[in-house]
Amino acid sequence: MTAKEKTEKKQIVAPGEILESGDDFLPGDWTIKEGKDIVAIRLGVMEKNDRLVKVIPLSGVYIPRRGNVVIGEIKDMNYSGWMVDIGGPYGAFLTLKEVPGYVEESEMETVYGIGDLIVTQVFNVKRTAVDLTMKQREGGLGKIRDGLIVKVNPHRVPRIIGKEGSMIKVIKDATKCSITVGQNGLIWIKGDSIEDRIFAKKAIEFIVENTTTDGLTDKVESWLKENEGKKK
Amino acid sequence: MGEPVKTIWKVTRKNVAEAMNKSERLDGRKPFEARPIEITFGVSNKAEGSVKVKMGRTEVVCGIKMNTQEPYTDHENEGTLTTSMELLPLSSPNFEYGQPTIEAVEIGRVVDRGVRESRFVDFEKLCIKPGEKVWGINVDMAVLNEDGNLIDAGALAAILALMTARFPEYDEKTGVIKFGEFTDKKLPLKIENMPLTTTCFKIGDKLFIDPTREEEDTTEGRITIEITKPEKEEMITAMQKGGDATFTQEEVMKMVEEAVKNFKKLRTLVDEEVSKFEKSAKKSKK
Amino acid sequence: MKERKNNMTDKSLYTKRFDGRKLDELRPISAKIGVVPNADGSALFVQGDTIAIAAVYGPKTLNPKHMQNPEKGVVRVHYNMLSFSVGERIRPGVSRRSQEISKVTEWALSPVVMLEELPGTVIDVHINILQANAGTRCAGINAASMALAHAGVPMKELVSAIAMGKMDKTIVADVDKEEEDYDDGEGATDMPMAYLANSGKISLLQLDGRVQVDKFKEAIEAGREACKKIAELQMKTLKEYK
């Protein structure tokens, strides 16, 4: 990538900003065509791929996508399932059918009670509601019993995970914590001691404060080394 | 934006309690360690005095507005004081519009009590004409960002605002206040009576101060203690126990001890900040 | 004490502005985003001595259900002045004036937000005035527009507002408190207006005073130019987002 392409890639655009003009380009995500112009309709980073111009949002509520693993809070329940808050504009629902094994209506509260947090997966996105499932081949879904929860802007999640999980792996290794990152911005940190968990939390805060920096993975690694001793 | 925003869940409560039990906190502070305090004067140039207090991410503003009115019948030669706290919906997803909630009312009343009972304000010097006209001081606090410990932030803001407030121009003959035109005249305060507030909180059997929102959501009880030191000895000038936890006598005395310790720190801070303010006010006059 | 003069000629009594500004000159403006960490989006907008802060929460499901719009999300605005933002203290709480300003602000912002994909939701916009020196609803709209963008709300374009005025026969941009109280000749006419940054359409328009039709036309044209300057600052501030 040339320097020009790099700076072009990281260009922040705001709603109403004209990104391109003419018939050479097509409007992608978060852009509209107004006459000859392609206009951004969201605050974010502009990206041009071939002829497609799109905006990658930097802020805003979580928009659920099929397959997303998220962390949600049980808000309520009825005879057919649980109402879950996964952030975003709409509520989510987990039916009894989508929970492994057989759950009696009377047992529901003990399986997932109000206020409990669960690691769950989005399997259907409807117009104003989301369906969740706890049945997943790889496992990893279930109730959170202990650990530390951190909430971040969901748009930071890709940075925190890193390319093919490289960034989060660096943190897991350095802090000796098991970390589950929900696409909705909730992150579950499991560690032996509260100090390890706090250390992992601080590492995530560091990433969030420096997302626009280049070479972030290296910076995170050195930050982790520096602060290893300080944690307790 | 992009900073981790904390929300309270059962799991987080467990973490806060677990850490506190080891005398640790999720942000690395010690139990009686307060967050850094940032003070900015002059939030509104229309106020007779105004200040913004930041305690960590909690941000509270306080403005002083003066008015003239008839005195109360049983206090014919004394000025008046009102105190209010607005929990602005802007500052938290948990605040809504409508009548002031008990949370807002309590904070207003607790701060008011400290300012009044300590005799910090010399009410008699606010008298213009006994039985007819007195000055009224309005201490209005508002939250701009909520992250726990609103009472202490509000109380500190109230004191700083009162210390740096100045009378507006007032025409004795016509009784007209020229708002926007300020004099050099400070409010009649007995500085030696200055009340400074520390609220101590409890989780399990551990005591601490200056909670973040998630810590405050986990607490079982609190005691707000306002200290003043008119002469050689510290005096308690107001107290309020909140929450449905109970406290042992030892716990209460420990909290008072911490409030006295914190009083010294706060007093130094207030003196420094007011002095800075007065120096820069002098400079801008030249 | 100024006396009301009956001015029959075309010449205006107000030729020099009280603070020395040119007729089309705005007061110094500045802006900042992210000032309320708890909010989904927030911004501060300063116009001369007027300071407005706006915070956005949402989109989130609107309750109770009967208040929802099944076709698209809605914007709900609450405008409020702090008690010590003005000379004579305002009692904390809602006033009729703040209710009206909340509603016209909502009408000013709604045309740009694209909430068709978010039926049944609400976006709460809270505007607070910390310091008032006229033009508060405009500063509020300017802050709110930025806060909405900061919050990631899809918007066709930004909204920029300015308080235009007529002092006797002179059209001025960005009226301040002193001008608002002007009493000579035809007195002061206050015309707050808001323009959509790109399309140049008007989404807020109010007027009180007395103004001839051609003078009014002059005002709305000058208002457009003034709003372009506001939009420039709003855009620049948003693009500095980290």
Side-chain angles (χ1 to χ4, degrees):
Chain A
M1 223 190 301
T2 64
K4 181 172 184 277
E5 284 174 77
K6 242 188 177 169
T7 40
E8 262 201 299
K9 190 158 197 257
K10 292 247 163 86
Q11 197 196 345
I12 302 210
V13 296
E17 196 173 332
I18 297 170
L19 306 178
E20 277 296 340
S21 240
D23 297 319
D24 286 338
F25 292 91
L26 293 169
D29 285 345
W30 304 116
T31 67
I32 50 170
K33 195 103 193 262
E34 286 279 324
K36 280 201 165 185
D37 300 327
I38 293 179
V39 177
I41 57 168
R42 187 107 178 232
L43 180 68
V45 174
M46 172 173 69
E47 209 175 75
K48 289 185 197 170
N49 284 323
D50 282 329
R51 294 180 62 202
L52 197 67
V53 183
K54 61 176 174 174
V55 177
I56 300 170
L58 289 172
S59 60
V61 290
Y62 164 64
I63 302 294
R65 291 227 156 25
R66 195 165 183 200
N68 280 171
V69 171
V70 295
I71 294 173
E73 180 188 355
I74 307 289
K75 291 304 239 185
D76 208 347
M77 63 189 82
N78 62 28
Y79 63 90
S80 56
W82 296 265
M83 280 82 120
V84 186
D85 178 7
I86 59 169
Y90 301 110
F93 200 75
L94 176 66
T95 60
L96 284 173
K97 272 194 294 136
E98 290 299 330
V99 175
Y102 177 70
V103 181
E104 286 249 11
E105 200 184 319
S106 53
E107 299 174 315
M108 283 179 75
E109 176 79 44
T110 43
V111 173
Y112 304 128
I114 294 180
D116 279 343
L117 290 177
I118 54 172
V119 182
T120 177
Q121 189 173 31
V122 176
F123 87 91
N124 193 20
V125 178
K126 302 196 287 241
R127 186 135 199 259
T128 60
V130 170
D131 290 324
L132 303 170
T133 182
M134 300 302 275
K135 291 175 174 173
Q136 190 202 26
R137 268 172 283 145
E138 298 99 66
L141 303 178
K143 183 153 88 173
I144 293 174
R145 289 166 207 281
D146 51 32
L148 185 61
I149 306 287
V150 168
K151 188 166 183 256
V152 302
N153 172 350
H155 301 275
R156 308 289 186 198
V157 166
R159 243 352 193 142
I160 293 169
I161 294 177
K163 238 184 216 138
E164 277 151 47
S166 52
M167 181 74 85
I168 198 68
K169 185 175 188 304
V170 164
I171 301 178
K172 283 182 191 174
D173 291 341
T175 62
K176 300 185 195 53
C177 288
S178 138
I179 304 177
T180 305
V181 182
Q183 291 292 327
N184 60 341
L186 262 66
I187 303 173
W188 175 28
I189 301 167
K190 223 180 152 177
D192 289 330
S193 70
I194 189 86
E195 291 87 7
D196 288 335
R197 287 177 241 147
I198 292 174
F199 187 40
K201 172 174 177 268
K202 288 202 170 136
I204 292 170
E205 281 174 6
F206 181 80
I207 297 175
V208 164
E209 275 154 33
N210 293 283
T211 37
T212 50
T213 327
D214 287 326
L216 189 57
T217 318
D218 291 332
K219 291 209 172 85
V220 172
E221 277 172 343
S222 31
W223 182 92
L224 285 164
K225 281 203 191 82
E226 269 172 45
N227 288 276
E228 172 79 53
K230 288 184 202 161
K231 69 175 174 177
K232 216 354 171 129
Chain B
M1 199 56 196
E3 300 179 72
V5 172
K6 298 147 222 166
T7 315
I8 196 72
W9 295 284
K10 276 192 216 164
V11 176
T12 306
R13 265 205 191 93
K14 269 199 228 161
N15 278 287
V16 171
E18 188 190 324
M20 193 58 73
N21 200 37
K22 291 193 198 167
S23 296
E24 280 165 20
R25 302 167 79 161
L26 297 188
D27 57 4
R29 280 186 290 151
K30 298 197 199 66
F32 289 101
E33 193 185 328
R35 287 171 290 183
I37 300 177
E38 221 182 280
I39 292 167
T40 317
F41 290 106
V43 170
S44 167
N45 64 10
K46 293 288 198 292
E48 276 66 73
S50 63
V51 68
K52 178 164 77 175
V53 170
K54 262 195 201 178
M55 283 182 180
R57 287 206 202 118
T58 285
E59 220 175 292
V60 174
V61 293
C62 180
I64 307 289
K65 287 304 293 172
M66 308 284 293
N67 66 280
T68 55
Q69 59 186 81
E70 271 179 43
Y72 295 125
T73 41
D74 44 352
H75 296 280
E76 297 225 313
N77 56 342
E78 283 180 22
T80 63
L81 175 87
T82 68
T83 316
S84 76
M85 167 55 108
E86 265 192 286
L87 299 178
L88 297 177
L90 159 125
S91 66
S92 163
N94 301 323
F95 296 153
E96 284 174 13
Y97 284 97
Q99 288 289 79
T101 57
I102 185 59
E103 201 187 340
V105 168
E106 190 195 8
I107 298 173
R109 288 176 63 89
V110 168
V111 172
D112 185 280
R113 215 170 291 149
V115 170
R116 223 181 272 275
E117 299 305 320
S118 59
R119 313 209 189 150
F120 181 50
V121 175
D122 193 340
F123 287 101
E124 284 180 12
K125 294 223 174 89
L126 290 171
C127 181
I128 300 170
K129 199 162 183 199
E132 280 184 40
K133 210 167 230 185
V134 297
W135 282 103
I137 302 176
N138 297 288
V139 179
D140 293 319
M141 301 172 280
V143 184
L144 294 187
N145 195 62
E146 197 279 323
D147 194 15
N149 206 21
L150 295 180
I151 299 176
D152 289 1
L156 181 61
I159 299 301
L160 289 166
L162 286 165
M163 288 287 284
T164 55
R166 302 289 180 261
F167 277 96
E169 284 288 356
Y170 174 65
D171 187 330
E172 298 239 357
K173 291 203 189 84
T174 59
V176 170
I177 302 176
K178 294 188 191 152
F179 287 115
E181 284 175 42
F182 302 102
T183 64
D184 275 339
K185 194 167 167 224
K186 299 183 197 179
L187 295 187
L189 303 171
K190 293 201 186 120
I191 300 193
E192 65 277 13
N193 290 343
M194 185 190 306
L196 293 168
T197 308
T198 305
T199 305
C200 288
F201 296 79
K202 177 162 119 157
I203 291 177
D205 60 358
K206 295 291 189 289
L207 307 173
F208 64 103
I209 62 167
D210 196 17
T212 56
R213 170 52 17 200
E214 64 194 355
E215 289 178 325
E216 202 165 330
D217 278 344
T218 311
T219 60
E220 294 142 17
R222 55 169 156 85
I223 302 185
T224 301
I225 302 161
E226 299 189 42
I227 305 281
T228 181
K229 194 176 180 184
E231 283 157 37
K232 295 197 187 118
E233 227 189 320
E234 286 95 4
M235 309 222 309
I236 304 170
T237 183
M239 257 177 138
Q240 176 95 338
K241 175 243 175 201
D244 49 21
T246 56
F247 297 90
T248 64
Q249 285 182 18
E250 289 80 19
E251 283 174 331
V252 172
M253 292 323 292
K254 169 80 175 140
M255 287 176 158
V256 170
E257 206 184 290
E258 289 300 329
V260 168
K261 272 194 215 156
N262 205 35
F263 168 84
K264 295 192 177 88
K265 290 189 192 143
L266 290 174
R267 186 59 208 260
T268 308
L269 177 69
V270 170
D271 289 341
E272 267 171 26
E273 290 291 330
V274 171
S275 162
K276 262 195 252 166
F277 171 82
E278 288 176 348
K279 280 202 188 97
S280 70
K282 271 207 189 111
K283 265 196 198 151
S284 56
K285 284 242 154 98
K286 290 188 182 149
Chain C
M1 269 285 281
K2 293 187 181 141
E3 284 176 3
R4 226 175 223 289
K5 292 192 197 151
N6 208 348
N7 198 354
M8 298 301 281
T9 65
D10 263 341
K11 233 176 156 212
S12 181
L13 294 168
Y14 192 70
T15 46
K16 258 199 184 147
R17 297 182 79 170
F18 293 129
D19 60 1
R21 276 186 285 153
K22 296 202 215 69
L23 302 181
D24 64 350
E25 197 181 332
L26 302 176
R27 291 176 285 180
I29 50 176
S30 66
K32 208 172 168 202
I33 49 173
V35 292
V36 179
N38 281 351
D40 293 322
S42 59
L44 177 84
F45 200 88
V46 182
Q47 220 159 325
D49 270 349
T50 292
I51 302 175
I53 190 171
V56 167
Y57 288 91
K60 51 194 172 179
T61 304
L62 175 57
N63 284 306
K65 221 172 173 177
H66 65 82
M67 285 178 64
Q68 288 179 10
N69 182 334
E71 316 257 309
K72 57 179 185 169
V74 298
V75 170
R76 198 161 54 173
V77 174
H78 290 281
Y79 163 101
N80 171 263
M81 294 178 80
L82 290 194
S83 64
F84 51 88
S85 62
V86 288
E88 211 168 321
R89 178 178 180 260
I90 297 176
R91 269 191 87 205
V94 170
S95 68
R96 277 188 253 246
R97 176 178 174 273
S98 67
Q99 279 182 297
E100 187 200 352
I101 295 179
S102 300
K103 199 62 192 173
V104 297
T105 300
E106 197 182 295
W107 285 329
L109 299 168
S110 301
V112 300
V113 292
M114 304 172 74
L115 301 174
E116 292 77 15
E117 298 302 304
L118 294 163
T121 65
V122 63
I123 295 179
D124 276 320
V125 180
H126 304 290
I127 300 172
N128 283 104
I129 305 298
L130 300 181
Q131 187 175 279
N133 196 29
T136 59
R137 79 196 64 191
C138 294
I141 290 171
N142 294 333
S145 183
M146 292 173 63
L148 283 166
H150 183 227
V153 174
M155 298 163 74
K156 289 184 207 138
E157 48 194 319
L158 298 175
V159 182
S160 318
I162 194 78
M164 294 300 296
K166 181 174 80 70
M167 311 290 139
D168 185 34
K169 295 188 199 295
T170 312
I171 300 293
V172 297
D174 197 10
V175 174
D176 64 24
K177 188 90 181 71
E178 231 188 319
E179 289 180 321
E180 238 182 29
D181 298 335
Y182 182 75
D183 215 19
D184 279 7
E186 293 174 9
T189 296
D190 198 19
M191 296 174 278
M193 56 188 75
Y195 274 92
L196 304 192
N198 296 357
S199 59
K201 300 231 173 84
I202 296 171
S203 65
L204 171 91
L205 185 60
Q206 294 181 289
L207 188 153
D208 68 88
R210 292 181 302 160
V211 59
Q212 301 83 349
V213 173
D214 57 342
K215 283 283 171 194
F216 172 70
K217 184 159 188 277
E218 193 188 320
I220 58 173
E221 283 168 0
R224 174 77 183 111
E225 293 313 303
C227 284
K228 279 186 188 159
K229 293 181 194 158
I230 304 268
E232 229 177 86
L233 174 68
Q234 290 170 306
M235 184 65 83
K236 176 170 176 281
T237 308
L238 285 168
K239 286 167 75 72
E240 285 165 6
Y241 176 81
K242 280 199 181 63

